[in-house]
Each structure stands twice: as structure tokens, then as C-alpha cells.
Amino acid sequence: MSSPNTPPVSAQDFAASILQHLKTSLGKDAPHASLYDWRMSLSLALRDLVVDPWFESTRRTYEARGKRVYYLSMEFLIGRLIEDVAVNLQMDEVASEALESLGQTYEKVVADEPDAALGNGGLGRLAACFMDSLSTLGIPAYGYGIRYEHGLFEQHFDKGVQVETAETWLEQRHAWEFERPEVNYPILFGGHVADEDGKAVWHPEETVIASAFDTPVVGWEGRWANTLRLWAAKPDRNFDLESFNRGDYIAASAPEALARTISRVLYPDDTTDVGKELRLKQEYFFTSASLQDLVRRFLSEGGDLKSLPDYVAIQLNDTHPAIAGPELVRILMDLHSFEVSDAISTARGCLAYTNHTLLPEALERWPEDLFARVLPRHHRIIQLIEAAHFAEAGEQVRIIEHGEVKMGELAFVMAHHVNGVSALHSELVKETVFADLHQAYPGRIVNQTNGITPRRWLYACNPPLRNLINDTIGTAWPDDLEKLQGLNAHLDDPAFIDRFQAAKDTNKARLSDWLKDRDGVSVDPAAMFDVQIKRIHEYKRQLMNLLETVALWNEIRDNPNGAWTPRVKIFGGKAAPGYVVAKEIIRLINDAGAVINGDPATKGLLQVVYPENYNVSMAEVLIPATDLSEQISTAGKEASGTGNMKFALNGAPTIGTLDGANVEIRDCVGAENFFLFGLTAAEVAARRMEPDYARHAIEASPRLGRVLEQIRSGVFSPSDKDRYAGLVDGLFNHDYFLVTCDFDSYFDTQRVVDTAFADARSWTRLAALNTARVGWFSSDRTISGYARDIWNVRSMLATGSG
Ligand SMILES: CCc1ccc([C@H](C)CC(=O)N[C@@H]2O[C@H](CO)[C@@H](O)[C@H](O)[C@H]2O)cc1
């Protein structure tokens, strides 16, 4: 029993509560209950324990007239919730005991829960970690987003090729949400704006209703609980019975179908602005509903809108909710008769914006005509905002330019603070994408280096290591993660190192069982588990990892008697459906993997594994079992990364570039404890200026040249020799992400890793050292930074953590 605090309920009472829900909520008795019935009953029994702290938190915030944080995000990549809630309520072991007493297996029941995959990757997962930390710190907050009927697509491989199918998490009842039919708002679209006695009046042509679904978010030890309010789209008018009676069934259900389209599916793009009208409507839909809701709440508590910034801190998770600036100005001007300048300054006083990427193709720019057609009133208001900005800071930066509405510039101008997500990224934001605005508004850009919640990403996903840490330094670390520094004193204690290794081995055995059961793939837990899991993108350089794998394959075949360190290369990740090159890279990894895995000469020494449908739940199995964390993006491209933090926390040293938060991880663990390679961001910029830099790099590396020739000539696609000719030519002619230039440094550093891993005890010490020194990357520290530097909010839990 390692859980620090006494759980609120005994296993016996909790078993009774599960049985009660089975009977009254699921209408089943134990002998006839399905896995789904047990899972729902467990979820509802846990949810019962969340409601009181939830009500209490809401009541205390109301009474204290406290300032609230509103986190607006198009994505919340939540994953499963049972274990998260059980752990935060200190109920994980009680729940396991209770289910056991009912003849059920906790792990099996937990694994039946579908992931809430309402996000693409880093940005969405960060939002979920932030919600956990806001509750743990007792900061009153609402998360606002969209209740997509279909989250991120399911990925399947058909002969190594990614195919996408619709995700269906809501096919079954979602145990954790409470529908709020009474909380709904009209969302207006299109039409025109008329000037009626000096006032601009919007005459929309379409109205959709936003209806709320609330999910409680309980923090560590159940001390506080906030709300995640997700909006679903509904028609503003009833079923068209008349058309139905006329037999025109399509017309009858059209309003419903059309309205629901807005919250039907998550756009699966995580780096390319698709510029689709429906995407713009989704962004306005949830932003307008959220602003109408928070203004109603503020007014219902007797607030004076002039003082809104003192009670409301709105954080824009990238530019996706950037329409919040013009929308809040519209609400203040058109519905509450504010003057334009007061409306703009009041709105700016509430808003802050986080930038998560420098990739030009990811910066949202809406065609002005499309924008003006869908949001004619906001188009006008943006012109007013731009005029005010010109008056304040000159005309060098425009919001509307070349027939486009630039959402990054709009978010910047309408925010009191703008932040990047790692120290390097925030500097690059000042020097590149917002250099002019940084000049105009010095001091507006700050840094808040990302973080991860240790509750999900250590305490819940890694019981063996959690227990070892509890036994070694006590149980205070889950909400004070820098306490892990206490492990440094045990790094030279052989017993501790043995237990650390044992924990890693347990997790590696669990992963190999998982791969065997799920995919029929067997891996050797004694081999090095070398893992790269993240969205597939050229800048993340999964291709370079694959090229190194083929080079190693060659090396082993050339020197079969060499002292090779057995390695399992594990890849995981989805490509945006329209991202052709990324899908080619996936296919090449699978094709090359098939050849390498089938080669008797390297059997047991090198293996490639690529489980389908990487998601949050898979990460929770892969990360604790990892020996080597691959963070190999082109320097200057990965804004932060958060997977890098999860691996280090779970005792996996990093091979990586000086990019994003890798820089700060290396500073924390020590340069000698980080396998650094590659060009720096500045060197990347310089190398790009050199003509033919890729061709020269390839000519200088026979090892690389050989690998590229093998791929080009169809060694991994014997039935379709030229399948990868284009991909290889791409490297020769426009290797924008400098795979060719960093290859040799990467290959050589991997050989250093081989040698280091071969010395098991020193490797385990290195792994434990990583865990000990990355406590700073808790999202509690990140959120405390936002609260202090941007939101100026206090914790309602006045103890030390506030
Ligand atoms: C418009 C399409 C679109 C959708 C999502 C995005 C996100 C900003 C992409 C994203 O997830 N960025 C990642 O954010 C993480 C959290 O801050 C960082 O750790 C990653 O480095 C960054 O790539 C860009 C463009």
C-alpha cells in the first residue's frame, strides 16, 4: 500500500457502490454484466466521489468572487479518465481491490475505456495536462472546447500504408460528462451588417445552438475540481415535421445534420492550416459560446464589465480561438454599448495568447473574402482593431494583408501577453515570426516552458517506479515534483539501482506482453528499447531515424561478429491524412522494417516495430518501458516537445538536438547525461544558405550514400522498385530539414549510446539520474508561471502549493 493518503472509501463500500450503479445505472446484475457494464459502473462510482469537491470548489470560487482562468482550446487530448480520477482521489488501489472482490480485473476494466482523443498531438495534450495542474493547484478555471462526435481518426496499416477510419468514442455512453441542456447559446454566421442610426447591426443568415457538456476535472488528493465545458452543435429549430409528412425526409433532417456538422469531427491536421470554412466556423462556434458563457457568469455575479479583466483571464491555446478578440469587442460594443476603444482595451486586458509553432504553414491566415462572408461583423471590428493598433504602434505590421486575415497578428495585438513554450522557442518567436511586433510591444512576449502532469505521466502509468520513489524519498513528490532531486543521493546506492533496473524491466516485460497480445509481435526485453513516438512530420525527422536504422543494419551485416547492442526500434505516430510525404515515410518504415525483421543475419540484434494507432493510452505503456528517447528534430523547429519530458521522467535518457525544451532538459540533467548531436538552430540557418548542402553532405558520407541508394533502388520495395525514388530525390535536392547534414553526427552518437547501454549499471544510474533531475518539467510549475506572470491569479488552496 504506497498511496500517501487514506482513500475516501473502503474497498468494501466501494464495491457496494459499483454494484449499486450496475443495478440502477446499467440495469444489470453481476452474473449478466459485460465488460462495458463493469467499466461504466466503476466510472460512475468514481464520479460520485468527484461531485462534492466539484460543488465545493464552485461554491468557494463564487463566494470569494475569485478571478477565474478560461483556457480556450480547439483540442483536449485527454485519453482515458478512470485511472486518472482514481489516482487523483487516492482510490486506485481501493478500486482494484473492490473489483477483485467482484471477480473482475482492474487493468482489464480500465483498458475497456475508449480514449477521449479530442486532439492531434502536443497542443491538445498540453491542454489536458494544464487542466490537471489547474485543479491540483486549486486555481479556479474552466477549460472550453468542442465535444467532437469523432476525435482523431483511427490509424490502420494496409500493407504498411496508413489508412484512416472514423473514431467513435461516443458510440457508447461517455461516463464522465454531465449534459447541460439549460446551458446553450445562439451562434450566428453570415448575413450582413447594416448601419442603423449610427450603430452597426449584424443581420446573420444562419444560427446554430451551442449546447454544453461538463466534465469535472479533479486535482491531486481531490482537494479541488474545475470544469471542462465542451460545446456540441444543435439546430436552432425543431425537426421539420412538415417536410417529413410530405415524405421529404432529407429536408426534414437537414437542419439537424447541418448544425451537427460543426461539432462532428476534429480536423486531423497538426501543422497545416487547411483554411476550410467549416474549420473557421468550428473556431468561432466554440469561442463565441465560451465568451457568451463567461460574460453571463460574470454578470450573474453582479460584475461591472469595465472591471472584467480583474475577474477573468482568458488564455488562447494558439491562434485557433484568436477570433476571441473581435468577438469580445463585439459583445462589449454591440450588446453592452461600450465605445470601441474601451471595448478593445477591456478585451485586451482579459486575453493572452500562446504560440506553439514557427512553421509558416501552421500559422492561420484566412482568405479575407471567406472571413468577411462567414463573419461580416468581425471583419469590420478587425478593421477597427487594426486602426487602433496603427495609431498605437505604427503601420509596419498589418492584420489584414494581401487579402488575408492573419490570426497570429490579430491574437498578438489583442493580447496583454504572448508566450512561447520553451526558452529557445520564445527567443525565436521574438527574432522571427513576431520580430516587428516585438519591436512595437517590447515586454509583451514572455516564456513559459511547457510541462507534463506527473499524476498521469509517472504516478499512474509507472507503478513500479512510483513505488520505488515512494519508498526512497516519501510520498510528497506527486504535487511537488522537484522533490525528485532527493533521488540524487541514492544514485550510487546499488540496492536503489537494482530496484530501478527491476522497475524498468517490469515495464519492458509489460510492453512486450502488450505487443504480443495486441499485434502478435515478440520483442526481447533485454534489448535496448529505442522509441520515437509523436506525430509524423518531416521536421521531427522520423526519416533520419529510419536511415540510421538501415545504416546500422548494414553495419551489423558487414561485421556479424561485432559486439552489437541488441536494439528494438519502436515507432509510433499518425500522419495528417493529406500529408503525402509523411505517409510515404510511414510506409518506408514499415517496408524497411519488414525486410530487416526478416533478415536472419540481424535477427535478435535489430528489430523495427510500428504498432498501429498511436494514442495517449499507448504512450502510457510505451514510455515507462523505454530505454532511449528520440528527440531528433531539426534545431529551431520543435517549439518545445513534451514527450521528451515524459521519457526523461520515466528514466529514459535522450538522444537529441539542441531544440525546443531539449535544451532545458539537458541543462537540468547535465550535458554529460544527454546524448547531444547535430547542428544548432543558428548553424541550421547558416547551412541552408550554402548551395547544394545536401548533396555535399551525402557525398561526404559513404554510409549515408549507400543507404539512400538501397532505398532508391527498391531494396525495401522489391515489388515496386521506384516507390521511394521521389523521397530520396527529395533529400538530394531540397532537404529542408537537414536530414543529410545531421546524419553522420546522429549515427556516431547512436554508437556512443550502444557503448553506454552495454554497461548496464552505469546506464541504469544515468536513467535514474534523469528521473531525479527533471522535476522542473511538471505542468504544476508551468501553470504557476502562467498564474504569476500572465493571469495574476491566486490558488484557492492557500497552502504552500498556491
Ligand atoms: C491549423 C492547424 C494546426 C493545428 C495544430 C497546430 C499545433 C500548434 C501544433 C502543435 O501541436 N504544436 C506542438 O505544441 C506542443 C505544445 O506546446 C509543443 O510541445 C510542440 O513542440 C509543438 O509542435 C498547428 C496548426
Side-chain angles (χ1 to χ4, degrees), residues 122-123 269-270 272 279 318 320 356 421 450 539 638-641:
L123 170 139
D269 308 274
D270 76 328
T272 311
R279 168 81 180 188
D318 216 279
H320 313 154
H356 295 267
V421 289
N450 281 166
Y539 85 81
E638 189 69 87
S640 165

Side-chain angles (χ1 to χ4, degrees), residues 219-235:
W220 180 243
E221 294 179 337
R223 294 184 302 228
W224 191 268
N226 284 321
T227 303
L228 174 60
R229 179 161 278 184
L230 300 179
W231 301 101
K234 298 197 169 146

Side-chain angles (χ1 to χ4, degrees), residues 628-639:
L628 183 70
S629 160
E630 296 270 357
Q631 309 300 331
I632 62 175
S633 53
T634 312
K637 289 298 172 192
E638 189 69 87

Side-chain angles (χ1 to χ4, degrees), residues 75 120-127 130 267-275 279 283 317-320 354-359 361-364 366 420-422 425 450 535 539-540 637-645 659-661 786:
E75 305 183 16
N120 279 285
L123 170 139
R125 182 56 234 177
L126 187 81
F130 278 9
Y267 268 91
D269 308 274
D270 76 328
T271 51
T272 311
D273 169 22
V274 283
R279 168 81 180 188
E283 294 183 351
N317 200 15
D318 216 279
T319 59
H320 313 154
T354 301
N355 173 280
H356 295 267
T357 181
L358 298 174
L359 296 175
E361 68 268 27
L363 303 175
E364 293 188 295
W366 291 104
V421 289
S422 76
H425 173 64
N450 281 166
R535 288 294 295 257
Y539 85 81
K540 294 174 185 282
K637 289 298 172 192
E638 189 69 87
S640 165
T642 44
N644 45 9
M645 300 163 186
D659 196 18
Y786 279 86

